[in-house]
Amino acid sequence: MKLRAALLIALLVIAAVSFGIGINALVGTEAGLQEISALSGEMNCSEDFTFYYNLGYDGADATDERRAIRTLYSEAAGDALEIFSADSEFEGRNNVFTLNSRPNEAVSVDAALYEALSLVEAAGARYIYLAPLYEQAYSLVNSVSDAEAAEFDPRAGGAAADFAAGIARFASDPGAVRIELLGDNTVRLAVSEEYLEYAAENAVERFIDFGWLKSAFICDYLAGTLAAAGYTRGALFSADGFSRSLDDETGVQYSLEIPHREGGSVSAIGALELGGTFSVVLLRDYPMNEGEDYYIYENGVIRSMFIDPADGLDRTAAPEIAFCSFDSGCAELALKAAPLYISESLDMNALETLAGEGVTVYYTDNGALREIGAH
């Protein structure tokens, strides 16, 4: 209990300066950098993001520019919520929920979803096929007691372990479930008869879900929508560690703090000072803001959403690790980072290889922030 209390207290303290929420923009002499919030009254995903924009930089009227950007951002955040939702259907929108509801059927989807699924398939990643285990993990992290959490924890054995092993067998097998890209924004979620029978027997209704990757894809979608409209002097930061800057014009620098967990204590260990167009993915095995998808047992053990398709169990190679790229979006970067982080230990050779591809990796070692590659 003391360990758990210490961790919770540390999280409350660090939350004030957390990555994604405690972003400090170093604007120098530049004026007009402001946080843009979405319009209220419409359901959207903007509460998961912080959006900064340099208003009036090129002489435009800052008030008019703010109004236009806010309207566009609000619409994009609403669209993103619908497009990537595995929970709900929306009139006139074929989304992830639709694909799960219509296995083995050709479905026309939004271009953004088609592109996202294309990126997943190109990476050879199987994480989206862990949908049933993400649902089980959601129940775990929202438990109100250790006893309740154990019912949904595969590592505690029992039915949860059997279910995780069964789903992992299907999720890791392209012959059991896969996305077929048919062109013209048309997709088929192919599911084998064996998996369909298993699903019927075990109340499985979802075969795909972006899970912890969803914020990365939404961040890219929001950034792409803004850029397509000519609004490129801003940056987006998600509460769960995905950042995307579009600004290669104004010289604005952002200071992104990197936290570090040592046992039951969390503190800021360093900061990345970044400018220009960049993407950053910070993966961590502990919560930093209220309501995040983690569960802390009374003995200090933490469960997360980072599930390994190999066996259906959550695992992380380190308390935290950050990846930075100036050439790719958050989703592509996250898909590269996932197999390195969702592992028993850090593979330094693999990290070196990734650095050779233009990705700078930041990890902690002996209480210090280390860097592989140079940004």
Side-chain angles (χ1 to χ4, degrees):
M1 286 297 291
K2 290 183 179 179
L3 178 63
R4 189 183 190 195
L7 180 56
L8 289 174
I9 291 171
L11 294 178
L12 290 174
V13 173
I14 199 66
V17 291
S18 66
F19 182 99
I21 297 299
I23 301 293
N24 295 312
L26 309 178
V27 298
T29 58
E30 302 293 344
L33 191 69
Q34 297 184 32
E35 181 177 345
I36 307 296
S37 59
L39 296 168
S40 60
E42 296 293 333
M43 188 169 64
N44 58 60
C45 61
S46 64
E47 68 273 9
D48 298 324
F49 292 86
T50 303
F51 173 34
Y52 292 103
Y53 198 83
N54 201 333
L55 297 170
Y57 178 79
D58 57 356
D61 182 270
T63 301
D64 292 341
E65 191 171 44
R66 180 187 182 91
R67 184 181 298 111
I69 292 173
R70 192 180 186 196
T71 298
L72 179 63
Y73 177 55
S74 301
E75 293 175 352
D79 289 341
L81 177 70
E82 296 182 3
I83 291 169
F84 294 98
S85 176
D87 303 315
S88 305
E89 60 181 335
F90 298 90
E91 185 177 356
R93 176 91 67 187
N94 289 334
N95 59 4
V96 176
F97 180 93
T98 310
L99 292 174
N100 282 319
S101 302
R102 297 164 59 182
N104 297 315
E105 293 184 30
V107 178
S108 178
V109 299
D110 283 83
L113 181 54
Y114 191 88
E115 292 171 7
L117 294 171
S118 299
L119 189 60
V120 170
E121 291 304 295
R126 301 296 297 174
Y127 301 102
I128 68 170
Y129 301 107
L130 293 167
L133 297 189
Y134 290 141
E135 286 193 275
Q136 179 174 266
Y138 287 138
S139 296
L140 194 164
V141 300
N142 286 294
S143 297
V144 296
S145 69
D146 284 5
E148 181 183 348
E151 294 180 7
F152 303 104
D153 189 348
R155 292 188 180 277
D162 293 339
F163 183 68
I167 293 299
R169 180 169 65 88
F170 291 115
S172 59
D173 179 9
V177 58
R178 66 186 181 278
I179 287 292
E180 295 180 348
L181 303 167
L182 306 178
D184 196 26
N185 296 330
T186 302
V187 174
R188 179 186 293 114
L189 173 60
V191 185
S192 69
E193 286 301 319
E194 182 186 2
Y195 193 5
L196 287 174
E197 291 175 5
Y198 179 92
E201 294 170 357
N202 292 273
V204 170
E205 296 182 346
R206 294 186 195 177
F207 300 98
I208 60 169
D209 186 339
F210 284 93
W212 64 270
L213 286 161
K214 184 164 72 171
S215 288
F217 283 94
I218 289 178
C219 192
D220 285 347
Y221 175 78
L222 296 175
T225 301
L226 290 163
Y231 298 117
T232 58
R233 296 190 302 274
L236 291 149
F237 305 90
S238 80
D240 52 353
F242 301 101
S243 303
R244 179 83 184 266
S245 170
L246 303 171
D247 188 358
D248 61 358
E249 179 181 359
T250 68
V252 169
Q253 296 283 306
Y254 293 92
S255 178
L256 282 61
E257 291 186 336
I258 303 296
H260 174 55
R261 179 181 64 79
E262 189 68 38
S265 299
V266 177
S267 59
I269 196 171
L272 310 184
E273 309 294 333
L274 300 172
T277 56
F278 63 80
S279 295
V280 173
V281 171
L282 171 68
L283 305 179
R284 47 185 165 80
D285 69 0
Y286 50 89
M288 293 187 61
N289 305 289
E290 185 178 356
E292 289 191 321
D293 292 328
Y294 301 85
Y295 184 82
I296 307 173
Y297 282 98
E298 291 185 3
N299 63 3
V301 171
I302 306 173
R303 292 284 178 256
S304 72
M305 304 295 293
F306 296 112
I307 301 173
D308 192 338
D311 58 10
L313 301 178
D314 76 307
R315 59 171 50 90
T316 55
E320 62 281 309
I321 188 167
F323 302 81
C324 176
S325 173
F326 291 86
D327 301 313
S328 62
C330 286
E332 182 181 352
L333 186 58
L335 288 168
K336 291 180 179 180
L340 303 181
Y341 189 64
I342 304 176
S343 178
E344 292 289 353
S345 60
L346 286 180
D347 183 338
M348 301 308 295
N349 290 330
L351 294 180
E352 292 280 1
T353 298
L354 193 59
E357 298 173 0
V359 176
T360 305
V361 182
Y362 301 88
Y363 67 100
T364 52
D365 179 46
N366 293 324
L369 185 64
R370 311 292 185 184
E371 177 181 335
I372 300 178
H375 68 259

